[in-house]
Amino acid sequence: MNAVNIWMIASKQEGFLFPKLDDKVESWLFDNWGSPLAEQWSCANLKFLSDDGREIPDFYFIGGFIPVVSESALSAIDLDHADVELLPAQDDCGKKFYILNPLSCEDSALNLKKSKVQYTSDGTISWISDFVFSYCPQKRMFRLSEMPTKMFVDDKFVQLIREKNMTGIDFIPCKVTGPSLFERLFHLSCLLFVPFVAIALSGCTSKPPVIPENVAPIESVEPVDGKVGIQGVERAEDFNYRSENSAMQEPMADENAQIGEALKKAYSKQDSLKQ
């Protein structure tokens, strides 16, 4: 089973008894199956259509698609982590059963181009006879939005059923093609493109200007004795763009040059006032 990861559930009812719900309950269940029902549900009564010596299977299906499992069979399969409601029911003898109501519905896993799909004249899907998946949903049990009356399970579920030799249920393997060539190329391009974008964006991050310690901060521009002066700095020409104590004598960052430009503009305004 390593090569196949998705299986479609199929009923195998030949030679077994069939259950039936009350007509109103059954009709309501058909209309709402797949939606959360536990809070509205009360234990339903199951009636078997005959009692001619045939066995009651571990699994059977109401209406051909809603699975019912016996209490003993339920204890043998692992549904603890599956998104499935267990709706209680019992027969006339008080034997307990559970109707499985899968809440998980996939809407993008099916590959419609490779599956065998029949459409109506208005483009609505009427039937799918061969299911081909683009990927394997990491779900124990799920349905498809394209064909909600079909149920699908993973390898683990199939393994548990077959190990216990449970009756009334069968499985049809489905193909999983994986992503298309276009999807793979798109994914690869994203993996290659994102790091370059991150690098480019990191280079655009601006840092606040760094003022050397030996230069007092600019406090204001105001007239002093009729002249415009800048407190804290003598002249822009005297502004030293290199750290006198730096062993490497590296130029200061461009941000410091911006400070110098601002000082030059201020002194230019001072010179114009003199004139």
Side-chain angles (χ1 to χ4, degrees), residues 11-202:
S11 63
K12 193 176 182 181
Q13 304 294 294
E14 185 177 356
F16 297 103
L17 291 176
F18 289 87
K20 183 171 177 54
L21 289 170
D22 176 81
D23 290 341
K24 291 183 179 180
V25 176
E26 186 172 286
S27 177
W28 182 82
L29 184 61
F30 287 168
D31 293 338
N32 296 280
W33 188 66
S35 303
L37 302 177
E39 294 184 359
Q40 309 170 57
W41 185 265
S42 59
C43 188
N45 181 254
L46 281 174
K47 291 185 178 293
F48 291 91
L49 300 183
S50 64
D51 187 10
D52 55 6
R54 288 182 294 174
E55 295 182 1
I56 297 176
D58 296 306
F59 280 84
Y60 37 88
F61 298 82
I62 300 173
F65 66 96
I66 298 179
V68 181
V69 59
S70 64
E71 186 176 38
S72 59
L74 180 64
S75 62
I77 59 178
D78 182 16
L79 288 177
D80 291 343
H81 303 290
D83 194 11
V84 179
E85 285 185 339
L86 304 176
L87 307 178
Q90 64 180 21
D91 63 11
D92 293 335
C93 298
K95 186 177 181 180
K96 294 182 179 180
F97 301 87
Y98 291 92
I99 299 170
L100 303 185
N101 181 32
L103 302 180
S104 179
C105 188
E106 293 290 320
D107 57 8
S108 61
L110 189 66
N111 189 325
L112 290 173
K113 293 183 178 179
K114 295 187 177 181
S115 301
K116 293 182 179 179
V117 184
Q118 298 177 16
Y119 295 90
T120 60
S121 57
D122 61 357
T124 304
I125 295 176
S126 61
W127 189 252
I128 302 176
S129 57
D130 187 14
F131 294 85
V132 180
F133 290 82
S134 296
Y135 62 90
C136 296
Q138 301 301 310
K139 306 268 179 77
R140 176 58 44 85
M141 182 180 291
F142 64 93
R143 297 179 303 120
L144 292 175
S145 59
E146 295 89 349
M147 187 63 63
T149 57
K150 297 295 184 181
M151 288 180 57
F152 301 85
V153 293
D154 63 0
D155 286 335
K156 183 64 176 178
F157 187 90
V158 176
Q159 180 182 355
L160 291 171
I161 296 298
R162 289 180 172 175
E163 285 178 352
K164 301 296 182 180
N165 295 317
M166 294 185 186
T167 57
I169 190 171
D170 202 359
F171 303 98
I172 300 173
C174 300
K175 297 177 182 178
V176 181
T177 61
S180 64
L181 178 60
F182 175 79
E183 292 171 330
R184 292 177 184 177
L185 291 175
F186 177 77
H187 180 67
L188 179 60
S189 64
C190 290
L191 292 177
L192 296 175
F193 181 68
V194 169
F196 287 106
V197 173
I199 294 172
L201 291 177
S202 64

Side-chain angles (χ1 to χ4, degrees), residues 234-268:
E234 288 294 328
R235 293 281 298 176
E237 290 82 358
D238 298 331
F239 193 90
N240 188 0
Y241 294 96
R242 295 176 182 271
S243 174
E244 295 178 357
N245 299 323
S246 174
M248 299 298 295
Q249 290 296 306
E250 288 289 300
M252 298 297 293
D254 291 341
E255 290 86 348
N256 293 337
Q258 296 175 5
I259 298 175
E261 290 296 327
L263 294 175
K264 288 180 180 180
K265 290 180 180 179
Y267 276 103
S268 177

